[in-house]
Amino acid sequence: MSVQHTNFNTSQDKDKTGQEFNNQELIKNNSPDNRLASILLAVAFYLAIVYLALFLLLGLSNPWGMVIIIFLAPSLISFIIATILTRIGRKKGNKNFLYTSVIFYLVSIFLAYDPDWGVFRVVPILLTILVTVGTVMYKQDNEQDNKSKPPVRTGGLLFG
């Protein structure tokens, strides 16, 4: 007698489990707890992209714009790093990247050092506030899991 295998659709089963995992991950990231935080982080990221594009286009369009870009280069470099970290933290759902991006936004505020150029501090301050609020409101997977499990009391000690 020959051995017959009953699992004909193994590739379809693997696809389903992969889709279910992705759907569960998306549901956790788009849960009501994270919806407002995700919106704030997305707005901060896209505002940063628009600010960088306008700044570079207007800076490269005339000769004095190049001088401004040279003087604000440290601020722009930290702003670009913060924007990249915001994107990574938003996509991966990692608060460590988001807190690091807040630090780089603060550095970009301090590196736009000339008091007469206060206009170049407005957008980094706004984005720092948006990313900070979005990061504080964002719940990671382990925080959501801890919230959903009730604590268990055994022997006078509380275990979660």
Side-chain angles (χ1 to χ4, degrees):
M1 286 203 287
S2 65
V3 178
Q4 294 181 353
H5 296 286
T6 58
N7 294 335
F8 292 112
N9 297 329
T10 56
S11 63
Q12 290 177 354
D13 293 336
K14 289 179 185 175
D15 290 340
K16 285 182 184 177
T17 56
Q19 287 175 351
E20 289 173 4
F21 177 73
N22 288 339
N23 288 339
Q24 289 173 358
E25 192 173 306
L26 286 174
I27 289 170
K28 282 184 181 179
N29 288 339
N30 292 328
S31 67
D33 294 339
N34 287 340
R35 188 164 292 144
L36 182 60
S38 294
I39 290 171
L40 288 175
L41 293 171
V43 166
F45 174 71
Y46 290 117
L47 278 176
I49 295 295
V50 168
Y51 175 73
L52 286 171
L54 287 175
F55 194 86
L56 292 176
L57 286 176
L58 294 175
L60 296 175
S61 66
N62 68 37
W64 284 105
M66 196 59 147
V67 172
I68 291 174
I69 286 178
I70 290 171
F71 282 114
L72 291 176
S75 176
L76 279 176
I77 290 170
S78 63
F79 191 85
I80 290 169
I81 293 170
T83 304
I84 292 169
L85 289 174
T86 301
R87 173 155 169 78
I88 293 171
R90 200 179 115 237
K91 289 294 180 186
K92 289 189 175 185
N94 191 345
K95 279 184 142 180
N96 294 330
F97 282 111
L98 295 172
Y99 282 126
T100 308
S101 71
V102 169
I103 291 169
F104 274 103
Y105 278 127
L106 288 172
V107 168
S108 74
I109 292 169
F110 294 126
L111 289 177
Y113 50 87
D114 194 356
D116 293 335
W117 292 357
V119 71
F120 297 114
R121 292 183 178 177
V122 173
V123 174
I125 289 171
L126 173 71
L127 293 176
T128 303
I129 292 169
L130 282 174
V131 172
T132 304
V133 171
T135 303
V136 169
M137 291 176 60
Y138 192 80
K139 303 258 189 269
Q140 280 185 316
D141 291 341
N142 57 1
E143 293 172 359
Q144 289 176 353
D145 293 341
N146 290 339
K147 188 176 87 171
S148 64
K149 288 193 298 187
V152 178
R153 187 173 177 98
T154 49
L157 298 174
L158 198 62
F159 296 101

